[in-house]
Amino acid sequence: MAGVNKVILVGNLGADPEVKHLEGDKVVANLRLATTEAYKDRNGNRVENTEWHDLELWDGQAKIAEQYLKKGMQLYVEGKIKSDSWQDEQGNNRKRVKIRVINFTMLGGRPEGAGSPSQGTSAYTGNSPKPAAVPVMDSPGEEDDLPF
């Protein structure tokens, strides 16, 4: 039986994308995404738990990230888990887990200075040269199915 390696995250960018232009017109963007879950403990106190995720985007997606994504933006991300292993300068074995983004959607409005649309949401799946606008539902009962 084949395995499944799929990750879905919704969170906020912790910083602007870190973009590197490599040889042969290759581009890679690294992002930090924070996901926060909140719940009440036994005493009724609100508890928030934030998890940080390293995201990696390549080529067309990286160019879109460089142009449109800014710190604080909310993203919906689909990807897969990738891990890198190496030895540091002291000879210690190191490992890093990251999410290789397959597609993403920019949620909500635009933060100050961002190049994305000011209303609605935008999606990029790696198949088009720039994000495409996705209609925003005005009321919860307008459509029964979620757009993802």
Side-chain angles (χ1 to χ4, degrees):
M1 179 175 173
V4 176
N5 182 356
K6 183 167 185 166
V7 174
I8 296 175
L9 300 169
V10 175
N12 294 85
L13 293 178
D16 289 350
E18 180 182 307
V19 180
K20 296 179 186 172
H21 295 266
L22 309 172
E23 292 181 29
D25 292 331
K26 290 285 193 187
V27 182
V28 62
N30 293 297
L31 311 171
R32 297 272 293 156
L33 188 77
T35 57
T36 303
E37 61 179 335
Y39 60 93
K40 290 190 177 183
D41 65 11
R42 293 180 189 177
N43 299 322
N45 299 318
R46 181 179 167 88
V47 177
E48 286 190 358
N49 182 26
T50 300
E51 198 70 42
W52 287 93
H53 311 275
D54 293 321
L55 308 181
E56 180 181 79
L57 296 84
W58 284 90
D59 300 325
Q61 288 184 339
K63 291 175 185 176
I64 294 299
E66 182 176 37
Q67 185 176 0
Y68 290 97
L69 300 184
K70 300 291 180 201
K71 177 181 179 176
M73 289 182 77
Q74 187 177 43
L75 292 182
Y76 168 88
V77 174
E78 292 181 5
K80 59 184 178 177
I81 297 172
K82 296 277 293 175
S83 59
D84 291 329
S85 299
W86 72 95
Q87 282 192 338
D88 63 15
E89 296 83 25
Q90 292 78 33
N92 299 318
N93 291 330
R94 307 281 301 194
K95 185 174 184 175
R96 183 180 83 159
V97 176
K98 59 187 170 188
I99 308 301
R100 173 77 184 270
V101 175
I102 295 169
N103 62 60
F104 65 91
T105 303
M106 294 174 257
L107 302 175
R110 159 178 79 172
E112 288 269 334
S116 63
S118 61
Q119 294 277 333
T121 61
S122 296
Y124 181 71
T125 61
N127 299 326
S128 62
K130 66 179 188 171
V134 176
V136 176
M137 294 184 292
D138 291 329
S139 64
E142 188 173 306
E143 190 173 302
D144 293 330
D145 294 331
L146 295 174
F148 42 83

